[in-house]
Amino acid sequence: MVFFWTILQHLPSSAHNTSHFTTLSGAPVWNNLSSLTVGPRGPVLLEDYQLIEKLANFERERIPERVVHARGASAKGFFEVTHDVSNLTCADFLRAPGVQTPVIVRFSTVIHERGSPETLRDPRGFAVRFYTREGNYDMVGNNFPVFFIRDAIDFPDTIHAFKPNPKTNVQEYWRILDYFSHHPESLLTFTFFFDDHGIPQDYRHMEGSGVNTYTLINKSGKAVYVKFHWRPTCGVKCLLEEEAIRVGGANHSHATKDLYDSIAAGNYPVWNLFIQTMDPDDEDKYDFDPLDMTTTWPEDLLPLQPVGRLVLNKNIDNFFAENEQLAFSPAHVVPGIYYSDDKLLQTRIFAYGDTQRHRIGPNYMQLPVNAPKCAYHNNHYDGYMNFMHRDEEINYFPSKFDPTRNAPKYPIPSRVYTGKRERVIIPKENNFKPAGDKYRSWAPDRQDRFVGRWVNVLSDPKVTDEIRNIWISYWSQADVSLGKKIATRLSTRASM
């Protein structure tokens, strides 16, 4: 009986391996090199369960890759609060300076497939999971602080435009330019995409952003809008085209290797977390919509406030278990942090969990890398790949036989809503000015590289004059000189 209970206490782990091979049911395997056949050269027998189990598991080793963010690398560490923000939020993990929370972080490329080079021009994902005492908090963001579109109904088309041509299976910029010629709100994001920032040197030298607008709520119920920003302490570094070709040619996993090797050597990557906050009552004071994720909040008007630091000091133990099966969702918030009415965020709350249930299974949150590290309880039962050990008779609520009760109430935003059902864009667009401001902030050589990249993609023979003129018009509205430079360079190239 003692042996039986000792075995039950062992969670599935390679730490409890036997010294010999077994089947999945634990039966010993005495020959793992030969199939069971009729004679040494005869046909293979269907009763060779060991062979069938081995092949069946091998054939299912790969789960569907993510539709976006397929190529990624993860690491573990901690987040430490360095500045008191308890006046802004009642989130337990932010309760006081010095508080540390374990984290796992996944960096990724957005568009390209799992085996693609890490030197391609692409946004980068920057997702952080905080394993707090009140459950998991996932800050799911990118290295750009903005995104191409502001309404999630456009997201599938956005990704289709960036993905390879369904006929040729080649990513082609004429498709991207065609699609986004209908979305002038994409201009600011394209100033990041076609800037030097479009190819980070590696993950350690990359900024991060929550992108969407969230809400912080303090103990008294006061809510403020918030934007999250990660800044690497080792600085931001990027690759120009020639460097990217050289680095990618030498190692298409260079960023993954750099992250792993740096942590293994004790050169731990560190990012400082900053926030920008805005009182919702003040949003009409600004010439932009604070819930519009295609634009940034000016730092001179809404300055960065320090919160804490993120330290990655441990490599993951297994790539599949802690990277491929790692599943984030912006829906995972904790008391003191809440959503906003940002249209794209509202849809991401549903979409992320839905895609993970399709990709990994309905019980993906039971996987060790996804499960909370605090005590938890719910009545979600059974389903595909459910391995939760249940020793209870009551799987409903409420019950006179079960003392489980609702958790103490915590504040959430209590805004009153009025309006009619309608499908419309936001009334306060800010499509051109931020892109022009950003372009004008660059040194001349950086501006010239940006112009050159646009001239290059607009010179594609499949880009029509109509689409080309639309983009020249957009960039002229952002900055007159920028539009003229692109138009002049295009005319010069066409006459050559």
Side-chain angles (χ1 to χ4, degrees):
M1 182 63 71
V2 173
F3 170 77
F4 176 72
W5 283 112
T6 301
I7 293 296
L8 278 187
Q9 291 170 13
H10 287 167
L11 295 173
S13 168
S14 60
H16 307 300
N17 280 352
T18 64
S19 60
H20 55 265
F21 285 110
T22 72
T23 64
L24 286 176
S25 62
V29 170
W30 71 270
N31 183 343
N32 198 31
L33 297 174
S34 303
S35 303
L36 188 64
T37 60
V38 180
R41 299 177 66 246
V44 175
L45 296 177
L46 184 62
E47 69 185 63
D48 191 350
Y49 172 78
Q50 176 187 336
L51 168 68
I52 293 172
E53 179 185 86
K54 190 174 182 180
L55 291 178
N57 277 269
F58 172 74
E59 291 156 3
R60 293 163 175 80
E61 279 185 358
R62 299 295 180 264
I63 58 177
E65 75 173 30
R66 293 166 169 86
V67 178
V68 289
H69 299 275
R71 177 69 192 263
S74 301
K76 295 183 281 190
F78 65 89
F79 175 78
E80 181 180 18
V81 180
T82 57
H83 291 73
D84 187 3
V85 291
S86 58
N87 64 312
L88 296 173
T89 176
C90 60
D92 177 75
F93 78 103
L94 298 175
R95 63 188 179 274
V99 172
Q100 291 189 358
T101 301
V103 301
I104 188 167
V105 178
R106 186 174 189 269
F107 306 100
S108 57
T109 56
V110 174
I111 296 301
H112 303 283
E113 65 274 12
R114 193 156 53 191
S116 59
E118 292 178 308
T119 49
L120 297 178
R121 185 170 296 278
D122 198 5
R124 301 298 194 272
F126 194 127
V128 183
R129 167 164 295 158
F130 302 79
Y131 294 106
T132 86
R133 302 192 304 184
E134 297 178 304
N136 292 351
Y137 169 50
D138 290 354
M139 189 187 295
V140 189
N142 287 338
N143 66 322
F144 299 168
V146 286
F147 197 63
F148 299 94
I149 42 104
R150 59 171 68 100
D151 194 315
I153 200 170
D154 299 318
F155 187 78
D157 298 294
T158 294
I159 300 305
H160 286 170
F162 269 107
K163 288 284 190 179
N165 184 324
K167 184 175 181 178
T168 65
N169 198 38
V170 176
Q171 187 187 43
E172 297 171 324
Y173 274 104
W174 67 265
R175 290 163 35 85
I176 298 170
L177 299 181
D178 173 30
Y179 173 72
F180 284 106
S181 70
H182 302 275
H183 290 278
E185 70 270 24
S186 66
L187 246 63
L188 181 56
T189 308
F190 273 119
T191 63
F192 287 91
F193 186 84
F194 281 113
D195 177 33
D196 297 347
H197 273 83
I199 310 177
Q201 176 177 291
D202 49 55
Y203 296 132
R204 292 185 300 122
H205 294 88
M206 188 177 81
E207 293 178 311
S209 172
V211 187
N212 292 107
T213 299
Y214 291 84
T215 308
L216 297 179
I217 310 100
N218 65 17
K219 292 179 181 178
S220 65
K222 172 63 177 176
V224 295
Y225 290 146
V226 63
K227 289 273 197 180
F228 297 103
H229 303 277
W230 297 105
R231 296 288 188 268
T233 59
C234 60
V236 176
K237 297 181 181 179
C238 305
L239 298 175
L240 300 183
E241 282 78 358
E242 298 78 10
E243 297 172 303
I245 293 171
R246 175 180 55 79
V247 171
N251 182 358
H252 83 293
S253 299
H254 82 284
T256 296
K257 185 177 187 303
D258 175 83
L259 179 67
Y260 190 95
D261 290 349
S262 296
I263 294 174
N267 182 21
Y268 302 141
V270 179
W271 287 261
N272 290 323
L273 176 64
F274 296 87
I275 58 174
Q276 291 175 284
T277 60
M278 178 192 298
D279 190 322
D281 293 337
D282 294 337
E283 62 178 273
D284 290 337
K285 296 179 180 178
Y286 304 100
D287 64 354
F288 61 91
D289 188 327
L291 306 186
D292 178 4
M293 65 182 298
T294 68
T295 192
T296 54
W297 292 6
E299 294 180 14
D300 57 337
L301 301 177
L302 300 159
L304 296 176
Q305 306 172 51
V307 177
R309 66 188 187 113
L310 169 69
V311 180
L312 298 182
N313 60 2
K314 188 178 189 304
N315 280 310
I316 57 176
D317 300 308
N318 179 272
F319 183 81
F320 182 79
E322 296 182 295
N323 185 78
E324 293 305 291
Q325 291 192 136
L326 178 57
F328 292 92
S329 173
H332 298 158
V333 295
V334 292
I337 301 176
Y338 204 69
Y339 323 115
S340 75
D341 296 338
D342 179 332
K343 286 186 179 184
L344 206 60
L345 173 59
Q346 288 283 311
T347 313
R348 292 176 76 205
I349 293 168
F350 162 76
Y352 274 64
D354 190 50
T355 194
Q356 306 296 6
R357 284 184 284 270
H358 164 71
R359 191 175 69 89
I360 310 174
N363 289 299
Y364 73 96
M365 285 302 296
Q366 290 184 19
L367 294 168
V369 73
N370 296 323
K373 305 308 178 190
C374 60
Y376 62 100
H377 171 70
N378 56 62
N379 287 331
H380 302 323
Y381 259 70
D382 303 338
Y384 184 66
M385 294 299 289
N386 189 313
F387 58 90
M388 173 71 71
H389 176 68
R390 299 274 191 176
D391 183 18
E392 54 200 12
E393 296 181 289
I394 308 301
N395 61 350
Y396 51 84
F397 178 84
S399 167
K400 298 293 186 183
F401 297 94
D402 187 345
T404 303
R405 296 291 181 265
N406 287 320
K409 186 177 180 180
Y410 53 85
I412 62 172
S414 56
R415 173 173 285 191
V416 177
Y417 292 91
T418 60
K420 61 182 181 181
R421 291 189 180 96
E422 54 189 343
R423 296 182 185 271
V424 295
I425 62 174
I426 62 173
K428 192 187 292 185
E429 292 189 281
N430 195 33
N431 298 333
F432 304 106
K433 182 179 181 297
D437 290 342
K438 185 170 181 61
Y439 170 78
R440 287 186 290 274
S441 71
W442 296 334
D445 61 330
R446 190 168 174 180
Q447 291 180 349
D448 191 60
R449 288 192 294 271
F450 182 78
V451 171
R453 291 170 190 135
W454 270 99
V455 170
N456 186 52
V457 295
L458 288 170
S459 297
D460 189 313
K462 294 198 72 170
V463 176
T464 65
D465 288 339
E466 179 185 12
I467 293 173
R468 195 173 290 116
N469 289 334
I470 288 173
W471 281 106
I472 292 173
S473 170
Y474 285 168
W475 289 119
S476 295
Q477 292 178 72
D479 183 273
V480 175
S481 66
L482 172 57
K484 287 182 178 179
K485 288 177 183 177
I486 293 174
T488 301
R489 295 266 293 270
L490 284 170
S491 298
T492 302
R493 178 174 289 198
S495 63
M496 292 175 65

